[in-house]
């Protein structure tokens, strides 16, 4: 497993309002139930570009695994909000523009295929845009940021476009896709499963991810 803070299990500590790792995605249960050996090397802030460098290095060192589960996009689609707050008339690109994101992710998937490693990718949990805005822009000029955004809803729609891109990549490359996003949306209130920052799943959300993974593994084992 190699992804960002979602799969690393990062949450907000209610005691001090800081980030900490409390991973209730039950990889241990999944390992035991399905006789798997799972190594989770997800990292806070990881993008598809960083993930590609990490995987290439591991391959050079003799990485030996049957499959690679990846969760990229959340950090790739983010902006430098402090810069936007200073100049709302400027032109700003996300960390990884979506065309580059598609190109980098596709290249990484093809590299893994060449090494006979099955690439498995996930969609993105939906953002809670108002919480996201309040958390990430709390010490910035929110009025300027809103001038640039047009609407807080743009945060949601922008991140959703990366999740759609992930679905398209999975289809184009004919690889397994785990649809985390739909699982959150079909609850009827995805915000109940998210931390105060509107982007990291809380323990309840991590439990939902565990169930999605379990359902995927059961189906995948039956069809392979």
């Amino acid at each position: 497993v190699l992804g960002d803070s979602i799969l690393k299990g990062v949450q907000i500590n209610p005691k001090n309002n800081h980030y900490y790792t409390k991973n209730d995605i039950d990889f241990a249960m999944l390992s035991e139930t399905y006789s798997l050996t799972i190594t989770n090397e997800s990292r806070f802030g990881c993008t598809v570009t960083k993930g590609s460098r990490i995987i290439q290095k591991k391959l050079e060192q003799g990485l030996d695994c049957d499959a690679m589960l990846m969760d990229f996009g959340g950090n790739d689609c983010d902006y430098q909000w402090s810069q936007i707050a200073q100049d709302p008339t400027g032109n700003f690109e996300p960390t990884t523009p979506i065309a580059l994101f598609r190109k980098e992710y596709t290249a990484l998937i093809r590299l893994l295929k060449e090494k006979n490693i099955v690439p498995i990718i996930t969609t993105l949990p939906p953002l809670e845009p108002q919480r996201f805005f309040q958390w990430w822009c709390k010490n910035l000029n929110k009025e300027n940021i809103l001038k640039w955004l047009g609407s807080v809803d743009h945060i949601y729609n922008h991140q959703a476009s990366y999740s759609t891109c992930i679905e398209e990549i999975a289809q184009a490359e004919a690889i397994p896709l785990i649809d985390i996003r739909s699982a959150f949306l079909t609850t009827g209130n995805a915000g109940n499963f998210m931390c105060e920052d509107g982007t990291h799943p809380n323990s309840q959300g991590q439990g939902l991810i565990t169930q999605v993974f379990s359902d995927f593994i059961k189906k995948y084992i039956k069809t392979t």
Side-chain angles (χ1 to χ4, degrees), residues 124-126 179-191 193-194 201-202 204-206 208-209 212:
L124 305 177
D179 192 5
I180 291 174
R181 190 177 192 86
S182 291
F184 278 76
L185 293 175
T186 54
T187 64
N189 192 344
F193 298 83
M194 306 301 292
N202 56 26
Q204 190 176 358
Q206 291 173 350
L208 184 59
I209 291 173
V212 173

Side-chain angles (χ1 to χ4, degrees), residues 48-213:
V48 69
T49 306
K50 292 178 182 176
S52 181
R53 289 198 298 264
I54 292 167
I55 290 172
Q56 287 181 42
K57 185 175 180 180
K58 288 186 175 295
L59 288 170
E60 291 169 3
Q61 295 170 344
L63 176 66
D64 181 21
C65 63
D66 298 307
M68 176 74 71
L69 171 62
M70 297 177 288
D71 165 41
F72 299 119
N75 293 300
D76 296 275
C77 72
D78 204 10
Y79 288 95
Q80 292 293 323
W81 299 105
S82 60
Q83 294 178 12
I84 295 170
Q86 293 171 12
D87 179 19
T89 64
N91 294 317
F92 300 97
E93 294 262 2
T95 302
T96 313
I98 197 162
L100 179 60
F101 176 76
R102 185 188 298 271
K103 179 181 177 182
E104 292 277 339
Y105 219 166
T106 299
L108 176 54
I109 287 164
R110 291 177 180 176
L111 173 64
L112 289 170
K113 285 180 177 179
E114 289 174 6
K115 303 298 182 180
N116 295 316
I117 297 172
V118 177
I120 304 170
I121 61 178
T122 77
T123 55
L124 305 177
L127 290 179
E128 207 299 310
Q130 193 61 48
R131 281 189 223 169
F132 182 98
F133 179 71
Q134 294 298 332
W135 178 269
W136 293 103
C137 305
K138 57 188 171 186
N139 296 319
L140 303 175
N141 188 323
K142 293 180 182 177
E143 184 178 346
N144 276 355
I145 293 172
L146 277 174
K147 284 180 183 177
W148 183 81
L149 276 174
S151 167
V152 171
D153 288 340
H154 178 71
I155 298 171
Y156 179 94
N157 295 332
H158 172 69
Q159 188 249 16
S161 70
Y162 276 69
S163 194
T164 299
C165 179
I166 290 165
E167 293 182 49
E168 293 169 352
I169 292 169
Q171 183 174 16
E173 295 302 312
I175 62 167
L177 174 74
I178 303 180
D179 192 5
I180 291 174
R181 190 177 192 86
S182 291
F184 278 76
L185 293 175
T186 54
T187 64
N189 192 344
N192 289 341
F193 298 83
M194 306 301 292
C195 289
E196 188 181 346
D197 65 355
T199 186
H200 288 93
N202 56 26
S203 288
Q204 190 176 358
Q206 291 173 350
L208 184 59
I209 291 173
T210 303
Q211 186 58 54
V212 173
F213 283 172

